[in-house]
Short mmCIF file of all heavy atoms in Angstrom, two decimals:
data_model
loop_
_atom_site.label_atom_id
_atom_site.label_comp_id
_atom_site.label_asym_id
_atom_site.label_seq_id
_atom_site.Cartn_x
_atom_site.Cartn_y
_atom_site.Cartn_z
N PHE S 28 86.72 75.13 81.93
CA PHE S 28 85.65 76.05 82.26
C PHE S 28 84.35 75.26 82.42
O PHE S 28 84.11 74.31 81.69
CB PHE S 28 85.46 77.10 81.16
CG PHE S 28 86.59 78.09 81.07
CD1 PHE S 28 87.67 77.87 80.23
CD2 PHE S 28 86.55 79.25 81.82
CE1 PHE S 28 88.70 78.77 80.15
CE2 PHE S 28 87.58 80.18 81.74
CZ PHE S 28 88.66 79.94 80.90
N ASP S 29 83.50 75.67 83.37
CA ASP S 29 82.15 75.12 83.56
C ASP S 29 81.16 76.26 83.35
O ASP S 29 81.08 77.17 84.17
CB ASP S 29 81.97 74.55 84.97
CG ASP S 29 82.75 73.27 85.19
OD1 ASP S 29 83.01 72.57 84.19
OD2 ASP S 29 83.08 72.97 86.35
N ASN S 30 80.42 76.22 82.24
CA ASN S 30 79.44 77.25 81.91
C ASN S 30 80.06 78.65 81.92
O ASN S 30 79.48 79.60 82.46
CB ASN S 30 78.24 77.20 82.86
CG ASN S 30 77.51 75.89 82.75
OD1 ASN S 30 77.42 75.29 81.68
ND2 ASN S 30 76.98 75.42 83.87
N GLY S 31 81.24 78.77 81.37
CA GLY S 31 81.91 80.07 81.29
C GLY S 31 82.68 80.48 82.53
O GLY S 31 83.32 81.51 82.56
N VAL S 32 82.61 79.68 83.60
CA VAL S 32 83.33 79.97 84.84
C VAL S 32 84.50 79.00 84.95
O VAL S 32 84.32 77.79 84.83
CB VAL S 32 82.40 79.83 86.07
CG1 VAL S 32 83.17 80.09 87.35
CG2 VAL S 32 81.21 80.76 85.93
N ALA S 33 85.69 79.54 85.20
CA ALA S 33 86.88 78.69 85.29
C ALA S 33 86.83 77.80 86.52
O ALA S 33 86.31 78.18 87.57
CB ALA S 33 88.12 79.57 85.34
N ARG S 34 87.38 76.60 86.38
CA ARG S 34 87.46 75.68 87.52
C ARG S 34 88.50 76.15 88.53
O ARG S 34 88.39 75.87 89.71
CB ARG S 34 87.84 74.28 87.05
CG ARG S 34 86.80 73.55 86.23
CD ARG S 34 85.71 72.88 87.06
NE ARG S 34 86.11 72.35 88.34
CZ ARG S 34 86.49 71.11 88.59
NH1 ARG S 34 86.55 70.24 87.62
NH2 ARG S 34 86.80 70.73 89.80
N VAL S 35 89.53 76.86 88.06
CA VAL S 35 90.56 77.40 88.95
C VAL S 35 90.09 78.75 89.47
O VAL S 35 89.92 79.69 88.71
CB VAL S 35 91.90 77.56 88.21
CG1 VAL S 35 92.93 78.20 89.13
CG2 VAL S 35 92.41 76.24 87.67
N HIS S 36 89.86 78.83 90.77
CA HIS S 36 89.46 80.10 91.36
C HIS S 36 90.66 80.83 91.92
O HIS S 36 90.77 82.05 91.79
CB HIS S 36 88.42 79.87 92.46
CG HIS S 36 87.14 79.31 91.94
ND1 HIS S 36 86.23 80.06 91.24
CD2 HIS S 36 86.63 78.05 92.00
CE1 HIS S 36 85.21 79.29 90.90
NE2 HIS S 36 85.43 78.07 91.34
N ASP S 37 91.55 80.11 92.57
CA ASP S 37 92.74 80.74 93.14
C ASP S 37 93.78 79.66 93.43
O ASP S 37 93.46 78.48 93.51
CB ASP S 37 92.39 81.49 94.42
CG ASP S 37 93.37 82.60 94.75
OD1 ASP S 37 94.32 82.82 93.96
OD2 ASP S 37 93.19 83.27 95.77
N VAL S 38 95.03 80.10 93.58
CA VAL S 38 96.13 79.22 93.96
C VAL S 38 96.96 79.94 95.02
O VAL S 38 96.96 81.16 95.10
CB VAL S 38 97.03 78.85 92.77
CG1 VAL S 38 96.30 78.02 91.76
CG2 VAL S 38 97.63 80.07 92.13
N LYS S 39 97.63 79.15 95.84
CA LYS S 39 98.52 79.73 96.85
C LYS S 39 99.77 78.87 96.93
O LYS S 39 99.69 77.67 97.18
CB LYS S 39 97.83 79.78 98.21
CG LYS S 39 98.70 80.40 99.28
CD LYS S 39 98.04 80.40 100.62
CE LYS S 39 99.00 80.99 101.64
NZ LYS S 39 98.55 80.77 103.00
N ARG S 40 100.90 79.48 96.70
CA ARG S 40 102.19 78.79 96.78
C ARG S 40 102.56 78.61 98.24
O ARG S 40 102.49 79.55 99.03
CB ARG S 40 103.25 79.63 96.05
CG ARG S 40 104.60 78.98 95.97
CD ARG S 40 104.62 77.93 94.87
NE ARG S 40 105.99 77.67 94.45
CZ ARG S 40 106.63 76.54 94.67
NH1 ARG S 40 106.02 75.55 95.29
NH2 ARG S 40 107.85 76.37 94.25
N ILE S 41 102.95 77.41 98.63
CA ILE S 41 103.32 77.14 100.02
C ILE S 41 104.84 77.10 100.15
O ILE S 41 105.44 77.90 100.83
CB ILE S 41 102.70 75.82 100.51
CG1 ILE S 41 101.19 75.90 100.48
CG2 ILE S 41 103.18 75.50 101.92
CD1 ILE S 41 100.50 74.62 100.79
N SER S 42 105.46 76.13 99.50
CA SER S 42 106.90 75.96 99.56
C SER S 42 107.54 76.82 98.48
O SER S 42 107.13 76.79 97.33
CB SER S 42 107.26 74.49 99.36
OG SER S 42 108.61 74.27 99.61
N LYS S 43 108.54 77.60 98.86
CA LYS S 43 109.20 78.51 97.93
C LYS S 43 110.69 78.17 97.88
O LYS S 43 111.18 77.45 98.75
CB LYS S 43 109.03 79.95 98.41
CG LYS S 43 107.59 80.36 98.58
CD LYS S 43 107.50 81.72 99.21
CE LYS S 43 106.05 82.03 99.52
NZ LYS S 43 105.87 83.25 100.25
N PRO S 44 111.41 78.69 96.91
CA PRO S 44 112.86 78.45 96.89
C PRO S 44 113.55 78.97 98.15
O PRO S 44 114.55 78.41 98.59
CB PRO S 44 113.34 79.19 95.66
CG PRO S 44 112.16 79.24 94.77
CD PRO S 44 110.98 79.35 95.68
N SER S 45 113.02 80.04 98.75
CA SER S 45 113.64 80.61 99.94
C SER S 45 113.25 79.88 101.23
O SER S 45 113.96 79.97 102.23
CB SER S 45 113.27 82.08 100.08
OG SER S 45 111.87 82.21 100.21
N LYS S 46 112.12 79.15 101.20
CA LYS S 46 111.68 78.43 102.39
C LYS S 46 110.90 77.19 101.97
O LYS S 46 109.77 77.27 101.49
CB LYS S 46 110.78 79.32 103.26
CG LYS S 46 110.36 78.63 104.53
CD LYS S 46 109.47 79.50 105.38
CE LYS S 46 109.09 78.75 106.63
NZ LYS S 46 108.06 79.43 107.39
N ARG S 47 111.49 76.06 102.17
CA ARG S 47 110.84 74.79 101.85
C ARG S 47 109.95 74.37 103.02
O ARG S 47 110.34 74.50 104.18
CB ARG S 47 111.88 73.70 101.58
CG ARG S 47 112.84 74.03 100.47
CD ARG S 47 112.14 74.07 99.15
NE ARG S 47 113.09 74.35 98.07
CZ ARG S 47 112.79 74.46 96.83
NH1 ARG S 47 111.53 74.32 96.45
NH2 ARG S 47 113.68 74.73 95.93
N VAL S 48 108.76 73.86 102.69
CA VAL S 48 107.81 73.43 103.70
C VAL S 48 107.47 71.96 103.43
O VAL S 48 107.08 71.61 102.32
CB VAL S 48 106.52 74.28 103.66
CG1 VAL S 48 105.51 73.79 104.69
CG2 VAL S 48 106.84 75.74 103.87
N TYR S 49 107.64 71.13 104.46
CA TYR S 49 107.39 69.70 104.33
C TYR S 49 106.26 69.29 105.25
O TYR S 49 106.15 69.76 106.38
CB TYR S 49 108.66 68.90 104.67
CG TYR S 49 109.78 69.18 103.71
CD1 TYR S 49 110.73 70.17 103.97
CD2 TYR S 49 109.88 68.47 102.52
CE1 TYR S 49 111.75 70.44 103.09
CE2 TYR S 49 110.91 68.73 101.63
CZ TYR S 49 111.83 69.71 101.92
OH TYR S 49 112.84 69.99 101.02
N TYR S 50 105.38 68.41 104.75
CA TYR S 50 104.26 67.89 105.52
C TYR S 50 104.42 66.39 105.71
O TYR S 50 104.76 65.68 104.77
CB TYR S 50 102.93 68.12 104.79
CG TYR S 50 102.39 69.54 104.84
CD1 TYR S 50 103.08 70.58 105.42
CD2 TYR S 50 101.16 69.82 104.29
CE1 TYR S 50 102.57 71.86 105.45
CE2 TYR S 50 100.63 71.10 104.31
CZ TYR S 50 101.35 72.11 104.90
OH TYR S 50 100.83 73.38 104.93
N SER S 51 104.14 65.93 106.94
CA SER S 51 104.05 64.49 107.15
C SER S 51 102.62 64.08 106.82
O SER S 51 101.76 64.92 106.55
CB SER S 51 104.40 64.15 108.60
OG SER S 51 103.41 64.63 109.46
#
């Protein structure tokens, strides 16, 4: 936390068990 505000604002899952996503 920074001054009571969390450093993590949001997350988004890209690769899932049903669909793997690969980046070069």
